[in-house]
Amino acid sequence: MEVEAYRRLFPLAFLERHLRESVRPDARRPAEARPTTVALAAVSSAHGSALVRLGDTAMLASIKLEVMSPSGEAPDEGSIAVEFHMPPICSPLVRPGRPAEVAPVISKNLEDILMSSGMLNLKELCLISGKASWLAYLDVYCLNADGSLFDAALISAVAAFTHLEIPLVSVGDDGRVFTVGGNEGKAKYELVNREKRKLTITNVPFSLTCALHKDNVLADPTAEEESIIETSVTIVLDSSDQIVSIQKPGGAVTSMTTIKECISLAKDRRRKLREILMDNVEAMEVDQTD
């Protein structure tokens, strides 16, 4: 029987045959994540954006800022709204006119992690206390779905907020707050904020999803591996390696030893992702000064 035919007919046996040799079908070791790239400023019309590739999984994150009236409970804070999109082009499993079931789950998990990690200080999104603040719309588009969607979505969201630049604004005679662009606008209007600025990003969260099969822990599973293995766990850590979240959507009972192994892999992965992101931020700063 040809290899590809055997792979399609007996996917679990095919995977286990590789795991007995401590290798996966894509030639990675069990604990090895796929190559990851980050490209900042991927959308020129957005206030912050990033394109992330995690193996063959691709995510595009875009942030648009709008002026809003702050809530009475938090008059000196802005807010964020997160939406995760899975268009039919990203996977043959997504049908036109039928939203992917996983999309709203990832949307909520992304927003929960961004807020609970302490990465964002919403007070920095305030313009005029009690009158005006920024609402940051974060849209994450899955361009290609090949496993570990939440991990890739979180990387792209973090990168987009890292790239985000708060625009200049002014207040009109009618009390309306509006954005100001260009040097001509700076000279013409009285500005609320004197210069464009970045947000202060702290406690940056990164995640690692592990597929669990018997005694094997497979870091950063592909879509093929996820379709075969029922049990997975996603570990989210902040900049201090503190656990922000552990997500295990069903599957078999998992031992604490296995969870600890996943956490250890997540710590290594967090450090590597931070290096990748910081390298891109520094490269962009160099390009802007040249």
Side-chain angles (χ1 to χ4, degrees):
M1 184 181 294
E2 292 186 2
V3 174
E4 278 305 311
Y6 182 77
R7 184 175 191 164
R8 290 177 179 273
L9 292 173
F10 308 102
L12 181 57
F14 181 81
L15 176 62
E16 289 179 337
R17 186 171 179 177
H18 282 78
L19 293 180
R20 283 195 290 271
E21 303 297 326
S22 295
V23 70
R24 294 155 75 172
D26 60 3
R28 284 184 292 155
R29 294 295 177 184
E32 184 181 351
R34 290 171 291 178
T36 305
T37 61
V38 176
L40 301 175
V43 182
S44 60
S45 59
H47 293 108
S49 62
L51 174 64
V52 168
R53 296 186 182 278
L54 177 56
D56 287 334
T57 294
M59 295 284 172
L60 178 65
S62 172
I63 300 174
K64 291 288 286 185
L65 295 174
E66 285 190 7
V67 178
M68 56 164 272
S69 297
S71 66
E73 294 79 17
D76 59 345
E77 292 184 357
S79 59
I80 66 171
V82 180
E83 192 73 30
F84 179 77
H85 308 267
M86 288 190 71
I89 193 175
C90 78
S91 169
L93 300 178
V94 181
R95 302 298 183 188
R98 298 176 61 185
E101 293 181 3
V102 71
V105 176
I106 293 180
S107 293
K108 185 172 189 313
N109 288 343
L110 272 177
E111 186 166 345
D112 289 346
I113 294 302
L114 291 174
M115 297 308 300
S116 64
S117 66
M119 184 185 88
L120 301 173
N121 180 4
L122 296 182
K123 293 184 183 299
E124 291 193 341
L125 293 175
C126 177
L127 287 168
I128 304 172
S129 182
K131 295 183 177 181
S133 62
W134 291 112
L135 170 58
Y137 288 101
L138 168 65
D139 289 287
V140 181
Y141 296 88
C142 181
L143 305 181
N144 193 56
D146 188 31
S148 299
L149 300 187
F150 178 78
D151 297 351
L154 182 57
I155 298 169
S156 69
V158 168
F161 272 110
T162 302
H163 172 247
L164 176 65
E165 191 171 64
I166 306 296
L168 302 175
V169 296
S170 182
V171 182
D173 295 336
D174 57 357
R176 184 176 58 89
V177 178
F178 58 92
T179 58
V180 176
N183 292 326
E184 183 179 343
K186 290 182 183 180
K188 184 176 180 181
Y189 300 104
E190 183 177 350
L191 301 176
V192 174
N193 49 340
R194 294 297 177 183
E195 58 183 18
K196 294 182 179 181
R197 60 182 175 83
K198 300 280 191 179
L199 292 179
T200 303
I201 304 296
T202 57
N203 291 325
V204 178
F206 287 117
S207 64
L208 177 68
T209 297
C210 297
L212 311 178
H213 181 64
K214 296 182 178 179
D215 294 329
N216 298 287
V217 176
L218 308 184
D220 179 24
T222 62
E224 179 185 15
E225 291 170 336
E226 289 179 340
S227 69
I228 299 170
I229 301 173
E230 295 182 355
T231 306
S232 67
V233 60
T234 299
I235 310 293
V236 185
L237 303 175
D238 66 14
S239 299
S240 302
D241 280 341
Q242 297 298 309
I243 296 174
V244 178
S245 170
I246 297 180
Q247 304 167 15
K248 183 178 175 295
V253 175
T254 304
S255 69
M256 184 54 65
T257 300
T258 301
I259 295 296
K260 287 181 178 179
E261 182 178 352
C262 294
I263 293 173
S264 177
L265 293 174
K267 290 180 178 180
D268 292 337
R269 180 64 173 159
R270 183 201 66 76
R271 285 188 281 271
K272 292 175 182 176
L273 289 174
R274 184 184 180 281
E275 290 176 6
I276 292 171
L277 179 58
M278 288 301 101
D279 286 347
N280 280 271
V281 171
E282 291 172 5
M284 187 170 195
E285 290 174 350
V286 170
D287 291 341
Q288 290 176 342
T289 56
D290 289 345

